[in-house]
Amino acid sequence: MRIGILNSGGDCPGLNAVIHGAVSTAANLGWEVIGFLEGFEGLLKDGDEGHMVLDPNRTIGIMKLGGTILGTTNKGNFVAKIGENGVSQVPQVTVDQAKANLKRLGIEALIVVGGDGSLTTALQLQDQGINIIGVPKTIDNDLAATAMTFGFDSAYSAVVDALDRLHTTAESHKRVMVLEVMGRHAGWIALYGGMAGGADAILLPEIPFRMEHLARFIKERESANRRSSLVVVAEGAHWETGELVAKEDRGTKGQVLLGGIGDRVAKVIQELTGKETRACTLGHLQRGGTPTALDRILGLRFGVKAVELIQTKEYGHMVSYQQYHVGSVPIIEAVAKLRTVDPKGEMVKTARAVGICFGDC
Ligand code: F6P
């Protein structure tokens, strides 16, 4: 038996743990594993340049490494979903080429480690007769049908670290510091990172904000003799008008590259409050680097489970984490809708209870 594995979309701490978990489990069963390079693109390459043979000798020790030994891309020939609703069909000629290569290599099933977009592609390949097992991956933690994805813990830990650092300089200078973090549709990184890192205000894509409310809150803090204020803003957060701040529109090649909301918010805070304000964008620092212990364990468990799902031929299913247990769900359940922060949910209520402002009142 020969199986394939690829990761697709943005990289994510814990990807190498998934690869190691899958390769070790397959080796115990006497199976061979082929790792495809640069996401789905590796499926299109003739000869040997699109893949590498993986065995435990190759994957021992990779668990502690960030990124992915297979390389990845969030662009290219297999993009099937742009944004939340922009679903398109992967061209038939591309699917046929991938199928022919999988047949040439004798691969019976393919593990696809990806987020919403990559799993949408995976589902289309499954519908075209390729045996797929999905593994959920995203630092944004916005996939439905799984309570958590690996990578999220590492990402929001980076936010906490950044806030700890910003706090000392903000206190010294009596400043407002605005930290822009990732999270295009869902504000989980901003919410968890902000709460754990002691942010005073958190702006999320799920809760439209008004600068007047935020400015009033900051002025009230000043009146209460607070030396500084920390504001965390998710890249996908927006005013009540719904306008997103973007750096680049990649057209049909990929998602709009968000970025810049932190600078905008900082500028208006300074104008409205008269308080010296600085902005900082955490960017890919929250996606790179060493995975946390939790992400290594979660990745490992997901990789092992993916191979078990091939054993039981549960194709079209995705590994899923629910109530401390790793199980599986149909991929369609994971990509049908995004898991976003509930503005009336327990986490937001808890944050409000400890005085965190969301800019909506
Ligand atoms: O989806 C994961 C993510 O990290 C988003 O939070 C962010 O908007 C996007 O990827 C950034 O993509 P890129 O690596 O192409 O800049």
Side-chain angles (χ1 to χ4, degrees):
M1 175 92 164
R2 230 180 184 200
I3 64 170
I5 184 165
L6 62 82
N7 45 239
S8 166
D11 70 339
C12 187
L15 275 171
N16 286 324
V18 177
I19 295 167
H20 180 57
V23 168
S24 308
T25 313
N28 285 337
L29 295 165
W31 298 358
E32 270 189 333
V33 183
I34 298 294
F36 289 94
L37 308 179
E38 324 301 345
F40 291 101
E41 298 299 307
L43 297 175
L44 299 181
K45 298 277 191 313
D46 298 327
D48 289 343
E49 75 266 36
H51 63 265
M52 63 162 89
V53 178
L54 294 172
D55 61 35
N57 288 330
R58 178 69 189 79
T59 64
I60 283 167
I62 66 170
M63 209 169 64
K64 59 176 170 292
L65 304 176
T68 161
I69 61 163
L70 296 176
T72 191
T73 178
N74 53 10
K75 296 191 287 252
N77 294 290
F78 288 84
V79 171
K81 193 173 193 181
I82 297 178
E84 210 177 334
N85 302 311
V87 179
S88 59
Q89 210 60 34
V90 177
Q92 193 58 44
V93 57
T94 306
V95 178
D96 289 345
Q97 204 179 334
K99 275 175 89 169
N101 258 332
L102 287 168
K103 193 165 174 211
R104 175 176 66 88
L105 294 167
I107 288 175
E108 292 183 37
L110 182 65
I111 299 171
V112 174
V113 191
D116 178 48
S118 307
L119 291 172
T120 301
T121 299
L123 204 54
Q124 291 184 11
L125 299 185
Q126 167 75 32
D127 290 345
Q128 297 253 6
I130 299 175
N131 294 327
I132 299 282
I133 295 296
V135 174
K137 170 239 62 156
T138 159
I139 62 162
D140 292 355
N141 206 24
D142 58 0
L143 272 174
T146 185
M148 211 202 285
T149 49
F150 64 87
F152 171 60
D153 188 63
S154 306
Y156 88 81
S157 298
V159 174
V160 175
D161 180 52
L163 286 174
D164 286 351
R165 291 166 190 269
L166 290 175
H167 190 225
T168 58
T169 174
E171 280 284 292
S172 307
H173 286 265
K174 286 184 145 188
R175 279 176 175 160
V176 179
M177 286 294 200
V178 178
L179 178 67
E180 179 181 315
V181 303
M182 283 184 175
R184 51 176 52 238
H185 306 293
W188 295 110
I189 295 177
L191 184 60
Y192 274 65
M195 285 175 75
D200 304 298
I202 304 176
L203 306 179
L204 305 175
E206 295 87 347
I207 305 180
F209 62 92
R210 279 176 57 179
M211 286 307 300
E212 296 74 26
H213 296 318
L214 186 59
R216 195 190 61 236
F217 172 76
I218 287 167
K219 278 192 185 151
E220 281 168 8
R221 285 181 53 79
E222 194 175 27
S223 310
N225 292 325
R226 301 278 185 255
R227 286 182 64 86
S228 67
S229 294
L230 292 179
V231 179
V232 174
V233 51
E235 62 184 355
H238 50 84
W239 288 267
E240 283 174 332
T241 47
E243 171 209 352
L244 287 172
V245 181
K247 275 192 193 150
E248 182 194 312
D249 190 343
R250 292 162 171 170
T252 53
K253 291 270 181 231
Q255 312 214 60
V256 168
L257 186 61
L258 296 178
I261 182 82
D263 284 322
R264 292 255 208 119
V265 166
K267 189 166 174 281
V268 184
I269 290 175
Q270 185 158 308
E271 277 164 16
L272 296 181
T273 65
K275 291 242 352 146
E276 201 173 26
T277 305
R278 296 285 188 266
C280 172
T281 302
L282 195 53
H284 292 77
L285 288 173
Q286 68 210 287
R287 221 167 73 190
T290 309
T292 59
L294 193 151
D295 283 339
R296 296 180 200 194
I297 295 288
L298 205 54
L300 210 53
R301 292 169 76 189
F302 281 12
V304 170
K305 184 68 184 180
V307 173
E308 288 173 2
L309 291 176
I310 294 178
Q311 252 189 311
T312 49
K313 295 195 174 5
E314 291 177 64
Y315 300 128
H317 276 67
M318 179 192 87
V319 173
S320 154
Y321 183 70
Q322 299 288 354
Q323 293 172 348
Y324 304 102
H325 180 76
V326 176
S328 74
V329 291
I331 296 175
I332 186 77
E333 281 182 25
V335 298
K337 71 176 177 57
L338 286 178
R339 198 174 71 83
T340 52
V341 174
D342 177 0
K344 298 200 175 348
E346 184 256 335
M347 279 298 285
V348 172
K349 271 194 198 154
T350 303
R352 289 195 202 273
V354 296
I356 293 174
C357 166
F358 287 90
D360 58 335
C361 56

